[in-house]
Amino acid sequence: MNAQHAGSNNVSLDLTTDGFTLTYKQRVILRHSDKVPCLWIGAGTADIEMFRGNFSIKDLLREKITLKNITVTAKNNGWVIRFTRADDINATLFISTDQQGRLELRVKNDSPSYNRIWLRLAAQPDDHIYGGGEQFSYFDLRGKPFPLWTSEQGIGRNKKHHITWLADCHENAGGDYYWTFYPQPTFVSTQKYYCHIDNTCYMNFDFSAPDYHELAFWEDNATLRFECADTYIELLEKLTALLGRQQELPDWVYDGVTLGIQGGTDVCQQKLDLMRSSGVKVNGIWAQDWSGCRMTSFGKRVMWNWSWDHERYPQLDKRIQQWDQQGIKFLSYINPYVASDKNLCKEAAERGFLTKDANNLDYHVEFGEFYAGVIDLTNPEAYDWYKGVIKKNLIELGCAGWMADFGEYLPTDTFLYNGVSAEIMHNAWPVLWAKCNYEALQETDKLGEVLFFMRAGYTGSQKYSTMMWAGDQNVDWSLDDGLASVIPAALSLAMSGHGLHHSDIGGYTTLYGMKRSKELLMRWCEFSAFTPMMRTHEGNRPADNWQFDGDSETIAHFARMTSIFTTLKPYIKDAVSQNALRGLPVMRPLFIHYEDDPHTYTLKYQYLFGRDLLVAPVYEEGRSSWTVYLPEDDWISIWTGERFAGGEITVSTPIGKPPVFYRKQSEWCVLFASLRQINS
Amino acid sequence: MNAQHAGSNNVSLDLTTDGFTLTYKQRVILRHSDKVPCLWIGAGTADIEMFRGNFSIKDLLREKITLKNITVTAKNNGWVIRFTRADDINATLFISTDQQGRLELRVKNDSPSYNRIWLRLAAQPDDHIYGGGEQFSYFDLRGKPFPLWTSEQGIGRNKKHHITWLADCHENAGGDYYWTFYPQPTFVSTQKYYCHIDNTCYMNFDFSAPDYHELAFWEDNATLRFECADTYIELLEKLTALLGRQQELPDWVYDGVTLGIQGGTDVCQQKLDLMRSSGVKVNGIWAQDWSGCRMTSFGKRVMWNWSWDHERYPQLDKRIQQWDQQGIKFLSYINPYVASDKNLCKEAAERGFLTKDANNLDYHVEFGEFYAGVIDLTNPEAYDWYKGVIKKNLIELGCAGWMADFGEYLPTDTFLYNGVSAEIMHNAWPVLWAKCNYEALQETDKLGEVLFFMRAGYTGSQKYSTMMWAGDQNVDWSLDDGLASVIPAALSLAMSGHGLHHSDIGGYTTLYGMKRSKELLMRWCEFSAFTPMMRTHEGNRPADNWQFDGDSETIAHFARMTSIFTTLKPYIKDAVSQNALRGLPVMRPLFIHYEDDPHTYTLKYQYLFGRDLLVAPVYEEGRSSWTVYLPEDDWISIWTGERFAGGEITVSTPIGKPPVFYRKQSEWCVLFASLRQINS
């Protein structure tokens, strides 16, 4: 046995006759021997088909080879391990620590013909794993493989659900448990370390095995970073120090609900008037059809030409100013594609700003009965031009925010200005898109004042995407794609370093006979009052869905829940600032603050909203009571004032009073207690 | 270039600087070079889960390695090619010809730790491929992979069909296009060669690529045999000379329909009397519940104890004799499992005749609300004992036949007497089961007099399984699992060397809301009149299905179709004898006799019944006309006498008059013309 140490003794490499053990701050990271190797290389060709953001991905694998033999060389700041199998089959692992004391592992295939790597990290059978970006079906990732590829999230996302089957039959759109707009090659282990990978290639993180995590990379190299901490809070601080943190939200966000309205200036005004006169706190109008519409069989679709449609929204510029004086913001919509039949696309094409096909012609993506060109964000001129479109057409108009939609659809057979393959750029695309929006704010000095929200993401979205939303849930109660799914989505994103998350109140996808019920809309509304932003969406087929102005009871419910939300403003603002300062997410898994309670590690449908509120949303239909797990603490029901010491309790949960508890020792006790005065 | 020849110049090996081309009678069989290799070896662990005969199969692949470098040594009768990559990564290919002039390729991994082989055979883009055992969804196998593993055939067998989805949700039972009771690693190429593999391991034959066929073997060795011919007829003769041929059928088979009846002696008698008095030609009663019943949620299930149930079938022994004198045979049922709660299983257990689990305890398989032990057919004593059960309980009772059901369910985690892994024995199991039945007939001198029919099969079923039936079709019109699917099943089996095939008239599986309609039963009946055996089945939920005695019109239809069938007796008998003598299947693809007509290679729902009848079954609901393709010949409509020279024609097809044509030059013209005299 030959133990070697590096980086202030934080990293040690213990050599055996046929292998090694790599330890980082008492965590075993890698184990290798002839019989139980840790590294494979291989060669394959990705077979990737895309239909409307739904991907079918196969690896036509030609080779997969275990690398058994090793040669270790000590270097200044670590080691170089050369893995060999035969003359032309070998790879090198560089082990080092950086100035922050992070462990860095870099694997590189020595022959370029090998474009696959499998690395097995050591694991303990009882480790839990969190993160992987935004995961809707599982919070603890242990026990399953998680392919990481930004795409549509799927409709239904569970092969045993009928909606999924229908969506699969129609457009291969049903999805599966790992489909997500926002994957990220980052995970946190309950051994209290994070592991983050720098690459953007297709990856598959397989947490199925008891004694290892197998990370597969569809590239000839991979860089892994590890950092440890004594607490999860400290660990998240370190992770967000690496990846970046979100700014604080504009102050107006806390002043009410953002109403998703379509149909033109007058419709917006009428609905706004109705809601405000009924006591609903409204902070803005979000009109995604500000640039016009087209009808498709999917429903009404926005016209992707990103300029104010004067016909549909007459006098919008003046109205935006009037509304602003009344404390009502106007939010619009944009995405990184331009409709092939409209003038913005023509301009982009003329300037050579669209991505290309194999014949060097402009690539047009089919988006469901219409086509759109892809702005080549790797071309600095195209990027700047599109940033200019945002500045001029959205910010100058007076938009206080917008949905920066899409980002997941970069086809892998398109060709980019920067010469990098679209397969490698695919996952990076949402971040380029976020950065383009972010810089438009930055360069107009609107950061912290104007807000855009995205569904697509990847590493870097932490810094550039000012707010995430959960994408397109079904307007139903399903665990994998309904209201419930938003909770693990927020928590897994929190463990991946993005701490700002909200969702379409009522969900979005209205297909295959689904219709949003009044109860679903009301439950979703009350849940959203305990997230950092409240925003409604009509759904893709508004007429099939119950809406916020569906009846007076619904409006009264919105009045109540927005009053609660706005009353919580100072508390939420404080939580958001902790996220901005320290990377402490606004919606947090319980185990972050109750790490000694093993049960908290298994909860995926409860969360802490800031430090002091425990929220257990009702995500089933027809429920009048709900069972909640409280970790040991002094808890007070926010609606009844009843006290609880911890454990599993069942409480009455009429609509408008979701299970929410606050800590007795909170400095916000008076504020919390005041919520009981708000009329039901 | 260095050309070497072996085996009377039939085989040549042309060497290049980095590879070779192996040619067999002008067909290029293998091509190998550094850049385009033909051989891979690897290592994996099969992850196989079984639930009621439905298998979920994954390969946990550890390695897959191209073997690039070769060393060729000439031997007496061929060559030995050693493929190497590294010291511990190599395999050997033995090339030789046998006394019949067949080309034999034997691949063997040199290290036992490599238990996977991928071999790419050279192909031409326009080759068609047929065989693969019994294939229900595709006849031409080109363009898809075909895993070869005996299992349930699936319910629905098409992921876009609702029935499939329901079956998948309930029991992972929906299946897919390649699921079959009877796979076989044998195919015929339109280059007019067959390729047959001796192994029984899990294989995957992938015919997707334009320039190669990739054969994957989950074993450390594989033996391939090739033979060429100038015609398909000669090729099938050669293939069946290798694999064995079926005996002629008992004469009584041609004398009418075998009525599937359940419910006891009296019910059988009543239905028999009704049918015969209505003019239906009946050759026998098939009573699968002769050994008793149990009720499950799937429907009524046979009691798996394989002895006459005196209570349910009083005086059966005497009645069998009476019926026999009237020309009515009695057929029963058996399978290779014994119900755990009954005495036959107890006896087998006491004698140590059941397969074992990992703790060396008797293995009991769950069959749907009951368990059964697996008779260990690799134990000669157990095999003989079970053969004795067949002789004593079935043959001595006077059964003229039986359904020898199942054979596909050998679990891969059971342990066998012969020490071979159940994963390797799994595909061989149906043949052991067939052989056990066959020898029971042989040893009691009943071959050609008593008939058993099987659904499960593999290489060797040609010799041992006296008749195949298509298994459990849905009682519907679906292409992948209804009436239509029986036709490619018969034709693919024909191209695999088994020429006797029939099906349950009306289908079997009655689940998820399916109910057999009168029209379906009648269309299936008229199709079956042009197969070598007519036999009905009530289905698993008889009360949900239209039955042969459903109304007088149905009975009259059976009278008409059985008259046609019995009138054809000398012709069918002659076709069956050609199958026995030369391996010419009774139901034949058109291209066998019209090989110059390229369109015939694409037909999967038409066939020749013997040499002179062309049959195009109506397999859609509500059709009164049907379009048929006739290859160039002198054709006469069997119902109208109208003459056709060839091409696509549309004919009227009322029920009872399916599209059937005979060749004007047939020696059976008078017989065929006489069918027009049979009353409708």
Side-chain angles (χ1 to χ4, degrees):
Chain A
M1 178 80 81
N2 176 3
Q4 304 190 8
H5 295 276
S8 329
N9 288 346
N10 281 334
V11 186
S12 74
L13 189 73
D14 297 311
L15 300 178
T16 60
T17 48
D18 70 340
F20 65 84
T21 300
L22 176 70
T23 308
Y24 174 54
K25 295 189 179 173
Q26 287 81 56
R27 283 86 168 170
V28 176
I29 302 295
L30 285 178
R31 264 197 207 93
H32 177 85
S33 69
D34 214 42
K35 287 235 168 90
V36 187
C38 74
L39 185 63
W40 285 252
I41 64 172
T45 303
D47 177 9
I48 301 179
E49 278 181 52
M50 179 180 86
F51 183 69
R52 299 183 186 170
N54 306 306
F55 288 86
S56 160
I57 302 178
K58 279 180 290 191
D59 196 6
L60 308 178
L61 188 70
R62 288 187 299 282
E63 292 207 278
K64 178 179 181 178
I65 306 174
T66 317
L67 298 183
K68 292 185 179 174
N69 309 318
I70 58 163
T71 321
V72 179
T73 316
K75 292 275 170 183
N76 270 349
N77 180 32
W79 302 270
V80 175
I81 305 183
R82 193 166 152 82
F83 288 76
T84 55
R85 182 67 182 277
D87 285 352
D88 60 340
I89 312 173
N90 37 58
T92 309
L93 171 67
F94 303 88
I95 304 172
S96 62
T97 49
D98 69 11
Q99 291 184 330
Q100 285 73 34
R102 294 180 198 120
L103 171 66
E104 180 184 309
L105 304 183
R106 195 154 64 83
V107 197
K108 176 102 193 63
N109 291 348
D110 294 345
S111 157
S113 69
Y114 288 105
N115 60 357
R116 299 287 182 267
I117 294 171
W118 296 261
L119 184 68
R120 288 190 179 171
L121 303 178
Q124 301 289 341
D126 53 357
D127 293 344
H128 299 281
I129 296 293
Y130 304 98
E134 188 177 28
Q135 295 291 341
F136 295 91
S137 290
Y138 292 95
F139 178 42
D140 183 354
L141 308 184
R142 206 69 197 278
K144 286 213 169 312
F146 288 84
L148 299 170
W149 185 258
T150 179
S151 75
E152 286 282 350
Q153 70 177 157
I155 299 174
R157 310 182 67 260
N158 183 323
K159 296 303 183 198
K160 295 207 162 182
H161 285 193
H162 194 235
I163 290 290
T164 309
W165 177 73
L166 286 171
D168 272 341
C169 287
H170 280 81
E171 305 200 332
N172 191 29
D176 214 329
Y177 68 89
Y178 55 85
W179 282 36
T180 176
F181 302 108
Y182 184 165
Q184 192 178 295
T186 310
F187 67 86
V188 166
S189 162
T190 44
Q191 287 190 41
K192 288 199 191 122
Y193 70 79
Y194 73 72
C195 168
H196 171 74
I197 284 84
D198 286 357
N199 303 52
T200 65
C201 62
Y202 177 93
M203 299 180 217
N204 185 18
F205 286 9
D206 191 343
F207 300 110
S208 305
D211 50 352
Y212 60 83
H213 308 314
E214 184 173 282
L215 314 186
F217 309 96
W218 289 16
E219 202 168 3
D220 66 354
N221 70 86
T223 302
L224 297 81
R225 302 183 189 284
F226 297 82
E227 208 167 3
C228 302
D230 293 333
T231 67
Y232 293 105
I233 292 168
E234 193 193 334
L235 195 62
L236 286 177
E237 255 186 290
K238 288 181 170 180
L239 178 61
T240 53
L242 174 72
L243 301 177
R245 293 177 188 139
Q246 302 84 60
Q247 304 263 327
E248 297 197 28
L249 293 170
D251 197 72
W252 58 262
V253 170
Y254 312 108
D255 290 336
V257 61
T258 308
L259 295 174
I261 307 178
Q262 297 184 76
T265 317
D266 288 348
V267 177
C268 288
Q269 187 68 57
Q270 283 158 19
K271 291 192 187 264
L272 175 65
D273 292 347
L274 171 67
M275 296 302 274
R276 281 203 300 189
S277 67
S278 310
V280 178
K281 305 284 190 295
V282 180
N283 66 5
I285 290 163
W286 167 57
Q288 63 168 9
D289 64 342
W290 72 292
S291 58
C293 274
R294 74 170 84 221
M295 276 308 298
T296 72
S297 64
F298 178 80
K300 204 185 284 177
R301 299 286 298 264
V302 168
M303 184 57 74
W304 295 10
N305 201 42
W306 320 135
S307 65
W308 165 28
D309 179 345
H310 291 248
E311 226 169 288
R312 196 170 181 86
Y313 280 88
Q315 298 194 300
L316 179 63
D317 52 349
K318 292 191 184 62
R319 198 65 63 93
I320 285 176
Q321 290 175 20
Q322 287 170 22
W323 284 335
D324 189 54
Q325 282 157 16
Q326 300 163 22
I328 303 296
K329 303 294 176 186
F330 181 78
L331 293 82
S332 62
Y333 175 99
I334 189 170
N335 70 43
Y337 309 99
V338 282
S340 304
D341 52 352
K342 306 296 285 185
N343 68 302
L344 211 54
C345 185
K346 284 205 188 75
E347 184 182 344
E350 277 162 22
R351 294 180 179 229
F353 290 168
L354 300 179
T355 70
K356 304 296 179 191
D357 66 15
N359 300 316
N360 205 33
L361 299 172
D362 291 338
Y363 195 106
H364 292 271
V365 182
E366 206 272 345
F367 275 94
E369 297 163 40
F370 70 95
Y371 283 83
V374 183
I375 303 298
D376 190 343
L377 299 172
T378 71
N379 175 347
E381 284 183 46
Y383 178 92
D384 283 340
W385 172 76
Y386 211 56
K387 198 197 297 177
V389 170
I390 297 174
K391 288 179 185 172
K392 184 163 184 337
N393 293 5
L394 282 76
I395 298 177
E396 271 186 27
L397 179 66
C399 295
W402 54 85
M403 175 181 278
D405 203 6
F406 287 92
E408 322 82 358
Y409 278 47
L410 186 73
T412 53
D413 59 346
T414 195
F415 291 84
L416 303 173
Y417 177 89
N418 72 352
V420 179
S421 90
E423 187 186 322
I424 297 296
M425 288 306 295
H426 175 84
N427 277 337
W429 210 252
V431 186
L432 275 178
W433 174 224
K435 189 163 178 266
C436 185
N437 284 271
Y438 182 87
E439 289 180 0
L441 299 193
Q442 195 174 38
E443 292 166 14
T444 52
D445 209 22
K446 296 286 186 189
L447 278 174
E449 184 181 326
V450 168
L451 176 78
F452 66 90
F453 44 99
M454 286 186 66
R455 62 180 197 186
Y458 198 72
T459 309
S461 291
Q462 285 80 2
K463 185 169 176 193
Y464 295 119
S465 181
T466 54
M467 167 60 109
M468 300 308 301
W469 105 94
D472 302 347
Q473 278 67 55
N474 283 346
V475 292
D476 72 9
W477 303 90
S478 65
L479 288 182
D480 293 284
D481 203 13
L483 166 53
S485 70
V486 176
I487 310 166
L491 299 183
S492 53
L493 211 47
M495 295 307 290
S496 307
H498 204 302
L500 294 177
H501 192 266
H502 79 297
S503 62
D504 293 341
I505 293 177
Y508 169 78
T509 304
T510 314
L511 290 170
Y512 311 121
M514 287 187 279
K515 291 172 195 291
R516 183 201 289 158
S517 70
K518 178 175 166 184
E519 183 185 356
L520 181 71
L521 182 70
M522 291 173 81
R523 286 295 189 195
W524 212 309
C525 173
E526 69 185 32
F527 155 57
S528 295
F530 300 93
T531 71
M533 182 170 180
M534 294 184 78
R535 181 182 50 78
T536 64
H537 199 309
E538 296 180 341
N540 63 301
R541 289 186 179 161
D544 287 348
N545 290 329
W546 194 265
Q547 303 293 356
F548 58 71
D549 55 353
D551 66 5
S552 58
E553 191 184 21
T554 309
I555 296 173
H557 181 66
F558 270 85
R560 169 174 164 76
M561 298 320 299
T562 53
S563 295
I564 287 163
F565 179 70
T566 53
T567 303
L568 285 172
K569 175 172 180 171
Y571 174 75
I572 304 176
K573 222 175 141 163
D574 183 63
V576 170
S577 82
Q578 287 173 44
N579 181 61
L581 286 169
R582 305 165 58 200
L584 252 182
V586 176
M587 296 165 74
R588 306 174 193 169
L590 271 62
F591 68 77
I592 285 189
H593 292 292
Y594 299 93
E595 65 174 64
D596 294 333
D597 180 345
H599 190 63
T600 59
Y601 292 85
T602 68
L603 298 170
K604 71 173 172 178
Y605 296 123
Q606 289 187 200
Y607 61 95
L608 295 170
F609 185 49
R611 171 63 190 99
D612 295 331
L613 287 178
L614 187 151
V615 185
V618 175
Y619 55 79
E620 289 176 3
E621 194 169 16
R623 295 298 300 264
S624 57
S625 68
W626 198 252
T627 297
V628 183
Y629 179 79
L630 300 173
E632 205 178 298
D633 209 328
D634 269 333
W635 296 104
I636 299 176
S637 163
I638 211 162
W639 314 123
T640 66
E642 200 178 349
R643 287 180 59 179
F644 300 93
E648 203 165 87
I649 59 163
T650 299
V651 292
S652 169
T653 54
I655 285 176
K657 294 185 174 174
V660 180
F661 304 83
Y662 64 91
R663 293 170 68 231
K664 183 169 174 287
Q665 64 203 92
S666 169
E667 56 179 307
W668 301 92
C669 267
V670 175
L671 179 76
F672 297 146
S674 75
L675 295 177
R676 288 167 63 188
Q677 311 311 318
I678 294 170
N679 289 335
S680 62
Chain B
M1 180 80 82
N2 176 2
Q4 304 191 8
H5 296 277
S8 329
N9 287 346
N10 282 332
V11 186
S12 75
L13 189 71
D14 296 310
L15 298 179
T16 61
T17 49
D18 70 338
F20 65 83
T21 299
L22 176 69
T23 308
Y24 173 53
K25 295 189 178 173
Q26 286 80 55
R27 283 85 168 170
V28 176
I29 302 295
L30 284 179
R31 264 198 206 94
H32 177 85
S33 69
D34 214 41
K35 287 234 168 92
V36 186
C38 74
L39 185 64
W40 285 253
I41 64 171
T45 303
D47 178 7
I48 301 179
E49 278 181 52
M50 180 181 86
F51 183 69
R52 300 184 185 170
N54 306 306
F55 288 84
S56 160
I57 302 178
K58 280 181 289 191
D59 195 6
L60 308 177
L61 188 70
R62 290 187 299 282
E63 292 207 280
K64 178 178 182 179
I65 307 175
T66 317
L67 298 184
K68 292 186 180 174
N69 309 318
I70 57 163
T71 322
V72 179
T73 316
K75 292 275 169 183
N76 269 348
N77 181 32
W79 302 269
V80 175
I81 305 183
R82 194 166 151 84
F83 289 77
T84 55
R85 182 67 182 277
D87 285 351
D88 61 340
I89 311 173
N90 37 60
T92 309
L93 172 66
F94 302 88
I95 303 171
S96 62
T97 48
D98 68 11
Q99 291 184 330
Q100 285 72 35
R102 293 179 198 120
L103 171 66
E104 179 184 309
L105 304 182
R106 194 154 64 83
V107 197
K108 175 99 195 63
N109 292 347
D110 293 345
S111 157
S113 69
Y114 289 106
N115 60 358
R116 298 287 182 267
I117 294 171
W118 296 261
L119 183 68
R120 289 189 179 171
L121 303 179
Q124 301 289 342
D126 53 357
D127 293 344
H128 300 280
I129 296 293
Y130 304 96
E134 188 177 27
Q135 296 291 341
F136 296 91
S137 291
Y138 293 95
F139 177 42
D140 183 354
L141 308 183
R142 205 70 198 279
K144 287 214 168 314
F146 289 84
L148 298 171
W149 185 257
T150 177
S151 74
E152 286 282 350
Q153 72 178 154
I155 300 174
R157 311 181 68 261
N158 182 324
K159 296 304 183 195
K160 294 207 164 182
H161 285 192
H162 194 236
I163 290 290
T164 309
W165 177 72
L166 286 170
D168 273 340
C169 287
H170 280 80
E171 304 200 332
N172 191 30
D176 214 330
Y177 68 88
Y178 55 85
W179 282 36
T180 176
F181 300 109
Y182 185 165
Q184 192 178 298
T186 309
F187 65 86
V188 167
S189 162
T190 44
Q191 288 190 40
K192 289 202 191 116
Y193 69 80
Y194 72 74
C195 168
H196 171 73
I197 284 85
D198 285 356
N199 302 52
T200 65
C201 62
Y202 177 94
M203 300 180 217
N204 185 18
F205 285 9
D206 191 344
F207 301 109
S208 305
D211 50 353
Y212 59 83
H213 309 315
E214 185 173 282
L215 313 187
F217 308 96
W218 289 16
E219 201 167 4
D220 65 355
N221 70 86
T223 302
L224 297 81
R225 301 183 189 283
F226 298 81
E227 208 166 4
C228 303
D230 293 331
T231 67
Y232 293 106
I233 292 168
E234 192 193 337
L235 195 60
L236 286 177
E237 254 186 291
K238 288 181 171 180
L239 179 61
T240 54
L242 175 71
L243 301 177
R245 294 176 188 139
Q246 302 85 58
Q247 304 265 324
E248 296 195 30
L249 294 170
D251 197 72
W252 58 262
V253 169
Y254 312 108
D255 291 335
V257 62
T258 308
L259 296 174
I261 308 178
Q262 297 184 75
T265 318
D266 287 349
V267 177
C268 290
Q269 187 68 58
Q270 284 157 19
K271 291 193 187 263
L272 174 65
D273 292 346
L274 172 65
M275 296 302 275
R276 281 201 300 186
S277 66
S278 309
V280 178
K281 306 282 191 294
V282 180
N283 66 4
I285 292 163
W286 167 56
Q288 63 169 8
D289 64 343
W290 72 293
S291 59
C293 274
R294 74 171 83 221
M295 277 308 298
T296 73
S297 63
F298 178 81
K300 203 184 285 177
R301 299 287 296 264
V302 169
M303 183 58 74
W304 295 9
N305 200 45
W306 320 135
S307 65
W308 165 28
D309 179 344
H310 291 247
E311 225 170 290
R312 196 170 181 85
Y313 281 87
Q315 297 192 298
L316 179 62
D317 51 349
K318 290 189 187 63
R319 198 67 62 96
I320 286 177
Q321 291 176 17
Q322 286 171 20
W323 284 334
D324 190 54
Q325 283 159 13
Q326 301 164 19
I328 303 296
K329 302 295 174 184
F330 182 79
L331 292 83
S332 62
Y333 175 100
I334 189 170
N335 71 43
Y337 310 99
V338 282
S340 304
D341 53 352
K342 306 296 284 184
N343 66 302
L344 209 55
C345 185
K346 284 204 189 76
E347 185 183 342
E350 277 163 20
R351 294 180 178 227
F353 289 168
L354 300 178
T355 71
K356 304 297 179 189
D357 66 16
N359 300 315
N360 205 33
L361 300 172
D362 291 338
Y363 196 106
H364 292 273
V365 182
E366 208 269 347
F367 276 92
E369 296 163 42
F370 69 96
Y371 284 82
V374 183
I375 302 299
D376 190 342
L377 300 172
T378 71
N379 176 346
E381 284 183 46
Y383 178 91
D384 283 340
W385 172 77
Y386 211 56
K387 199 197 295 175
V389 170
I390 296 173
K391 290 179 186 173
K392 186 165 183 339
N393 293 4
L394 283 75
I395 297 176
E396 272 186 27
L397 180 64
C399 295
W402 54 86
M403 176 182 278
D405 203 6
F406 288 93
E408 324 80 0
Y409 278 48
L410 186 74
T412 53
D413 60 346
T414 195
F415 291 85
L416 303 173
Y417 177 88
N418 71 352
V420 178
S421 89
E423 187 187 322
I424 297 296
M425 289 305 296
H426 175 84
N427 277 338
W429 211 252
V431 186
L432 275 178
W433 175 223
K435 189 161 177 268
C436 186
N437 284 271
Y438 182 86
E439 289 180 0
L441 299 193
Q442 196 173 37
E443 292 167 13
T444 53
D445 209 21
K446 297 286 187 188
L447 279 172
E449 182 181 330
V450 168
L451 176 79
F452 66 92
F453 45 97
M454 287 187 64
R455 63 180 196 186
Y458 198 74
T459 309
S461 292
Q462 283 80 3
K463 183 168 176 194
Y464 295 120
S465 182
T466 53
M467 166 60 106
M468 301 308 301
W469 104 93
D472 302 346
Q473 279 66 55
N474 284 345
V475 292
D476 71 10
W477 302 92
S478 64
L479 289 182
D480 293 286
D481 203 13
L483 165 54
S485 70
V486 176
I487 309 165
L491 298 184
S492 53
L493 212 47
M495 295 307 290
S496 307
H498 203 303
L500 294 177
H501 193 266
H502 79 298
S503 62
D504 293 341
I505 294 177
Y508 170 77
T509 303
T510 315
L511 290 170
Y512 311 122
M514 287 186 279
K515 291 173 196 293
R516 181 201 291 159
S517 69
K518 178 176 165 183
E519 183 185 357
L520 180 71
L521 181 70
M522 291 172 80
R523 286 295 190 194
W524 213 308
C525 173
E526 69 186 30
F527 156 56
S528 295
F530 299 93
T531 70
M533 182 170 179
M534 295 184 78
R535 182 184 48 79
T536 64
H537 199 308
E538 296 181 339
N540 62 302
R541 289 185 179 162
D544 287 350
N545 289 330
W546 194 266
Q547 303 293 356
F548 58 72
D549 55 354
D551 66 5
S552 58
E553 190 184 21
T554 310
I555 296 173
H557 181 66
F558 271 85
R560 169 173 164 75
M561 297 320 299
T562 53
S563 295
I564 288 162
F565 179 70
T566 53
T567 303
L568 285 171
K569 176 172 180 171
Y571 175 73
I572 305 176
K573 222 175 140 165
D574 182 64
V576 170
S577 83
Q578 287 174 43
N579 182 61
L581 286 169
R582 305 166 59 201
L584 252 182
V586 177
M587 296 166 74
R588 306 174 192 170
L590 270 62
F591 67 79
I592 284 188
H593 292 292
Y594 299 92
E595 64 174 64
D596 294 333
D597 180 345
H599 190 61
T600 60
Y601 293 85
T602 68
L603 298 170
K604 69 174 172 175
Y605 296 122
Q606 289 186 201
Y607 60 96
L608 295 170
F609 184 49
R611 172 65 191 97
D612 295 331
L613 287 178
L614 187 152
V615 184
V618 175
Y619 54 80
E620 290 176 4
E621 195 170 14
R623 295 298 299 266
S624 56
S625 68
W626 198 251
T627 298
V628 184
Y629 179 79
L630 300 174
E632 204 178 301
D633 209 328
D634 268 332
W635 296 105
I636 299 177
S637 164
I638 210 161
W639 313 122
T640 66
E642 200 179 349
R643 287 181 59 178
F644 300 94
E648 202 165 87
I649 59 162
T650 299
V651 292
S652 169
T653 53
I655 286 178
K657 294 185 175 174
V660 179
F661 304 83
Y662 64 91
R663 294 170 67 229
K664 183 167 174 287
Q665 65 203 93
S666 170
E667 56 179 307
W668 301 93
C669 267
V670 176
L671 179 77
F672 297 146
S674 76
L675 295 176
R676 289 166 65 188
Q677 313 310 321
I678 294 170
N679 289 334
S680 63

